[in-house]
Amino acid sequence: MQTQVNERVKGPYKQWLDHLFDGVYVVDMHRRIQYWNAAAEELTGYTAAEVCGTRCSDNILEHVDFAGKALCKEGCPLHATLQDGQRREALVFLHHKNGHRVPVHIRVSPLYDDEGKVTGAIEVFSDHSQHLTMAKELEHYKQESLLDPLLRIGNRRYAQMVFQVRQYEYGVTQTPFGALMLDLDLFKHVNDTYGHHVGDLVLKMVTQTIVRVLRGSDALFRWGGDEFLAFLPAITSGGLLVASERIRSMVEASFVMVEGQRIQTTLSVGATLAVPEDTLESLVARADLLLYQSKQKGGNHCTVEERFPHHGEK
């Protein structure tokens, strides 16, 4: 059966698949990966040599849904297609080799032998990230003084610039924007246990996960150390809670592999809506107090300011 599946991606078919912008991989009935195209390498960080012959659930993609629930053991669209031969599509988050989560739109189709029996499946997946707007904006400036040198996101100076723009827009349109303060839980333990090099890998993983969960209009900045600030325009208090929980759950579901060891972390979030009289300092101070409340609850928690339960709601 493995040979039959491999035959489907030889010759001109393989050349066509290798030139697609979408990631493509083929599995047999045991979910062993038989083929992995060039775009799949680009989107996941894993080469064909690393994954072919392994199962797709062996610390490779580890799809999770929007709530951070692992799908490889329960709810896997590819596994379901192997069982019933039905096509499926879904929006999930895959695990990149560097540790962060990447939102992808997946489409799964069964493969058949000459007798019409399901012998495997093919999954096509495309990057669903909405982080490109912010990346292009940063590219436009090209000033290193606005970027954190390690994480390649905006620094405090850039945060001040974006805050001024958001406050101006708020005054003109009366559309509120939110602020999130995010801090890794027990990050000192990661540095002390594994060293600062691994700590940097964890910071990069968390950053890339958050950036890919945020909307294209949102902005993320490194506030200092393992603390981040994010601005989310045109959002309600309810939307802040949803966004905060999504970030928290996706970071919790992310991990890096170092010498065969799986290293994970969690973060705590404080979220508030801006008010017209806010300065950057007052907004950050308020979000920071809410972050402290999340820490007091044991970490891996989101706290949204309650004095604006209906602010901006329709």
Side-chain angles (χ1 to χ4, degrees):
M1 179 169 59
Q2 180 171 321
T3 301
Q4 293 172 341
V5 175
N6 279 331
E7 286 293 337
R8 297 178 184 270
V9 289
K10 287 184 177 180
Y13 296 104
K14 183 179 186 302
Q15 294 180 12
W16 296 339
L17 292 175
D18 277 338
H19 284 85
L20 290 177
F21 289 107
D22 292 338
V24 178
Y25 71 100
V26 173
V27 300
D28 62 17
M29 290 299 291
H30 300 289
R31 286 199 281 175
R32 288 194 200 92
I33 298 172
Q34 306 298 314
Y35 169 74
W36 189 260
N37 79 340
E41 293 184 331
E42 179 70 22
L43 290 171
T44 68
Y46 291 100
T47 66
E50 290 177 294
V51 300
C52 285
T54 67
R55 289 165 56 93
C56 57
S57 58
D58 292 341
N59 269 351
I60 304 296
L61 298 182
E62 293 208 1
H63 292 140
V64 298
D65 61 17
F66 270 89
K69 174 187 174 184
L71 300 178
C72 287
K73 295 182 179 180
E74 182 180 353
C76 172
L78 187 145
H79 176 69
T81 292
L82 289 173
Q83 298 300 308
D84 61 18
Q86 299 296 311
R87 294 182 177 183
R88 287 177 171 82
E89 60 180 302
L91 180 61
V92 301
F93 288 78
L94 63 76
H95 167 244
H96 192 278
K97 185 179 180 180
N98 290 337
H100 58 270
R101 289 286 172 177
V102 179
V104 291
H105 178 242
I106 65 170
R107 288 156 288 171
V108 184
S109 298
L111 297 174
Y112 299 96
D113 60 18
D114 294 337
E115 298 177 354
K117 180 182 178 182
V118 176
T119 59
I122 183 169
E123 179 172 308
V124 179
F125 58 98
S126 55
D127 193 341
H128 200 72
S129 297
Q130 296 181 344
H131 68 284
L132 298 179
T133 300
M134 188 62 187
K136 290 177 181 177
E137 188 176 342
L138 288 173
E139 276 295 309
H140 173 72
Y141 284 101
K142 287 290 186 182
Q143 287 119 337
E144 292 297 315
S145 61
L146 298 179
L147 293 177
D148 179 83
L150 174 66
L151 304 180
R152 309 306 293 174
I153 58 174
N155 57 19
R156 284 197 180 202
R157 181 181 175 189
Y158 192 58
Q160 178 70 60
M161 293 169 57
V162 174
F163 170 78
Q164 291 171 352
V165 172
R166 294 292 176 242
Q167 273 293 66
Y168 174 78
E169 291 174 343
Y170 186 8
V172 172
T173 67
Q174 301 302 303
T175 302
F177 70 96
L180 307 180
M181 289 299 295
L182 312 102
D183 187 74
L184 299 191
D185 299 321
L186 304 176
F187 183 64
K188 184 177 183 298
H189 173 74
V190 174
N191 278 330
D192 291 346
T193 303
Y194 304 104
H196 287 278
H197 172 66
V198 174
D200 287 349
L201 293 178
V202 171
L203 282 173
K204 291 177 181 178
M205 170 198 74
V206 170
T207 300
Q208 290 303 309
T209 294
I210 296 172
V211 165
R212 284 167 167 80
V213 172
L214 292 173
R215 303 168 303 172
S217 58
D218 300 334
L220 179 68
F221 314 93
R222 188 179 188 182
W223 195 245
D226 58 329
E227 192 170 39
F228 300 85
L229 170 67
F231 294 140
L232 286 67
I235 199 166
T236 63
S237 55
L240 273 183
L241 179 59
V242 171
S244 300
E245 283 292 343
R246 183 167 294 165
I247 292 170
R248 184 203 59 77
S249 66
M250 286 301 158
V251 169
E252 184 181 23
S254 302
F255 60 92
V256 291
M257 298 297 294
V258 178
E259 297 180 353
Q261 186 169 359
R262 179 170 172 149
I263 300 174
Q264 295 174 273
T265 190
T266 59
L267 56 73
S268 297
V269 185
T272 185
L273 289 172
V275 294
E277 61 270 21
D278 264 327
T279 62
L280 178 60
E281 290 72 23
S282 66
L283 182 62
V284 167
R286 198 161 65 248
D288 205 42
L289 181 60
L290 296 162
L291 170 64
Y292 177 75
Q293 294 178 24
S294 293
K295 294 286 189 180
Q296 290 295 100
K297 295 173 183 176
N300 197 23
H301 189 84
C302 301
T303 304
V304 178
E305 189 165 19
E306 295 182 358
R307 69 172 174 143
F308 302 124
H310 305 294
H311 188 92
E313 303 281 4
K314 294 182 179 180

